[in-house]
Amino acid sequence: MFKEVIVVEGRDDTRRLKEVYPEIETLETNGSAINEKILEQITTLQMSRGIIVFTDPDFPGNKIRQTVMQAVPNCKHAYLQKVDAIAKNGSGVGVEHASDEAIKAALGNLVTPKEAVIEEIETQFLFDFGLIGHPNSAKIRQKLSEALGIGYVNGKQLQKRLMMFGITKQQVVDVLTDSN
């Protein structure tokens, strides 16, 4: 089980996670309405038990994740792939729509940002490996993001996210050559 508290966006996320892990404890941000009081609670929990940020794979979810990361830079992160979080009727994206397997996979593949950049990843490197500036770059980025468990990113976010999680060029090359 998890000793950490899982930071989620709302009640539906908590309900869904408890269906998979009945003993799990969550803290809800109330969606984008995250405020200083909630950030203080998150900071306190990080010091006492640790936290795992598990937000929806969409713009508001990423914004909440960034807000939490500014307050608590060394927290753990779980990422759902967008395709795994789409409602059956197609009318929404969120943790609450994910399958048991997708939730278990995301919480089983936690990543933590690194304090210092281990290796600089240049834009030219990303271009050379087809991750930006090519017609199928989005597909290649999706495969890479899934394999590394860093959540889907667009071309501008990729470089930053790779360095934030201390992913090396060799790791990128290994994933890309294994998937071919």
Side-chain angles (χ1 to χ4, degrees), residues 49 77 98 122:
R49 295 184 49 195
H77 295 265
E122 303 86 7

Side-chain angles (χ1 to χ4, degrees), residues 6-10 12-17 20 53-58 65 78-80 84-86 92-100 102-103 106-107:
I6 314 296
V7 175
V8 296
E9 293 182 44
D12 291 337
D13 298 333
T14 293
R15 177 194 48 75
R16 182 68 189 104
L17 289 178
V20 179
V53 180
F54 194 26
T55 56
D56 298 344
D58 58 8
R65 188 181 296 275
Y79 288 93
L80 268 176
D84 294 330
I86 297 173
V93 173
V95 171
E96 71 271 19
H97 304 299
S99 68
D100 291 5
I103 289 170
L107 288 170

Side-chain angles (χ1 to χ4, degrees), residues 11-142:
R11 287 187 318 259
D12 291 337
D13 298 333
T14 293
R15 177 194 48 75
R16 182 68 189 104
L17 289 178
K18 285 188 175 283
E19 290 173 2
V20 179
Y21 297 105
E23 303 299 318
I24 207 164
E25 293 182 72
T26 64
L27 176 68
E28 298 163 4
T29 67
N30 299 316
S32 299
I34 189 168
N35 59 35
E36 285 303 316
K37 182 178 177 191
I38 292 170
L39 288 173
E40 287 172 16
Q41 290 173 334
I42 291 170
T43 302
T44 301
L45 285 169
Q46 174 65 5
M47 289 187 292
S48 63
R49 295 184 49 195
I51 63 164
I52 298 170
V53 180
F54 194 26
T55 56
D56 298 344
D58 58 8
F59 180 79
N62 284 328
K63 191 161 175 60
I64 293 165
R65 188 181 296 275
Q66 293 300 320
T67 301
V68 173
M69 279 182 53
Q70 287 177 342
V72 186
N74 57 341
C75 58
K76 295 177 183 176
H77 295 265
Y79 288 93
L80 268 176
Q81 296 301 317
K82 195 168 193 171
V83 68
D84 294 330
I86 297 173
K88 286 182 177 44
N89 65 7
S91 68
V93 173
V95 171
E96 71 271 19
H97 304 299
S99 68
D100 291 5
E101 295 76 23
I103 289 170
K104 288 177 183 177
L107 288 170
N109 191 19
L110 301 175
V111 290
T112 305
K114 305 293 183 209
E115 289 288 325
V117 173
I118 293 173
E119 180 177 23
E120 186 73 27
I121 296 182
E122 303 86 7
T123 305
Q124 186 63 47
F125 173 82
L126 300 176
F127 181 81
D128 291 346
F129 281 90
L131 292 161
I132 59 173
H134 296 278
N136 62 341
S137 291
K139 280 186 174 182
I140 297 170
R141 280 194 308 274
Q142 182 175 357

